Amino acid sequence: MWIHRPQKETQFIDNLLGLDRQVMIVQGARQVGKTCFILHALEQLQDYPQLKINLLYASTMNLEGQNFMGRDFVGLAAAGEDFIKNLRLHFGDFERLAKPALIFIDEVDRFPPVLEFVQTLAEYSRHFKFVLTGSNLENIRMQNAATGRRQYFDLYPITFSEFLNIAKPELLTYY
């Protein structure tokens, strides 16, 4: 069952669209629902071009009806040149995008070189808004990922008030 978190979702969307030469890193405990939360929030932004990447997989994969590019889309170039080249192939001329493209990269901890691309990716923030997440990001050292180019968004398990918003009154009476 999906638990809608409207306040958190609004905060996420505002932070994402407000990125300025930064990438957003969504962090939180394993299995807290980071990926589902991001995918649901992105559904609210269907008028923006979007791309989803899952670095757990080597190539394109369809997961629960969502198409995700794999590690091959990102490439291996140290400053992200291959990635930027593939973004150009995928979206065309950056300058022609009516709105910035939203790029969600999941399982970043499975391919840490992506974190080194942060500097390069952030420079394209007029054209792209990047969201990165992974369950073990806190265990990875970001040695060359420029400080100040990352904005963190914390996602915790639902609060009691969020639970009360979705709970059926008869269940609460029962408990």
Side-chain angles (χ1 to χ4, degrees):
M1 178 175 121
W2 173 250
I3 298 172
H4 187 62
R5 302 170 77 176
Q7 289 177 317
K8 198 72 171 166
E9 192 174 281
T10 299
Q11 180 187 9
F12 171 82
I13 290 170
D14 290 346
N15 288 358
L16 173 61
L17 297 179
L19 291 174
D20 182 22
R21 291 195 286 266
Q22 296 173 311
V23 299
M24 181 184 293
I25 296 177
V26 178
Q27 56 189 8
R30 289 185 52 74
Q31 300 299 308
V32 78
K34 294 181 294 292
T35 299
C36 287
F37 175 83
I38 294 166
L39 292 174
H40 278 283
L42 291 177
E43 285 178 11
Q44 306 303 311
L45 299 167
Q46 287 298 315
D47 55 332
Y48 286 79
Q50 297 183 19
L51 176 67
K52 298 168 185 88
I53 301 169
N54 189 312
L55 298 178
L56 181 60
Y57 303 102
S59 59
T60 303
M61 177 69 64
N62 186 298
L63 300 168
E64 298 181 26
Q66 300 273 344
N67 287 322
F68 285 85
M69 299 297 194
R71 287 186 304 271
D72 59 348
F73 189 87
V74 173
L76 296 172
E81 302 96 294
D82 294 340
F83 187 31
I84 298 300
K85 181 187 83 175
N86 286 333
L87 289 173
R88 285 188 197 283
L89 292 171
H90 185 80
F91 289 109
D93 182 10
F94 297 167
E95 299 296 329
R96 293 194 161 182
L97 292 174
K99 293 183 175 185
L102 308 177
I103 301 172
F104 170 38
I105 307 175
D106 199 5
E107 302 294 349
V108 172
D109 51 314
R110 301 295 185 122
F111 193 65
V114 169
L115 294 168
E116 302 297 320
F117 300 171
V118 170
Q119 179 83 24
T120 304
L121 300 178
E123 289 300 319
Y124 288 91
S125 69
R126 286 184 329 161
H127 309 293
F128 300 109
K129 304 296 182 187
F130 291 94
V131 178
L132 289 71
T133 194
S135 295
N136 293 309
L137 278 176
E138 67 278 355
N139 297 326
I140 296 174
R141 232 177 85 222
M142 292 192 230
Q143 57 194 42
N144 294 325
T147 304
R149 299 282 189 186
R150 301 180 306 264
Q151 182 181 110
Y152 291 97
F153 185 85
D154 295 323
L155 190 64
Y156 297 105
I158 65 167
T159 64
F160 187 64
S161 66
E162 289 169 330
F163 168 76
L164 290 176
N165 285 335
I166 58 107
K168 295 181 174 124
E170 62 273 11
L171 288 178
L172 291 176
T173 304
Y174 172 77
Y175 289 118

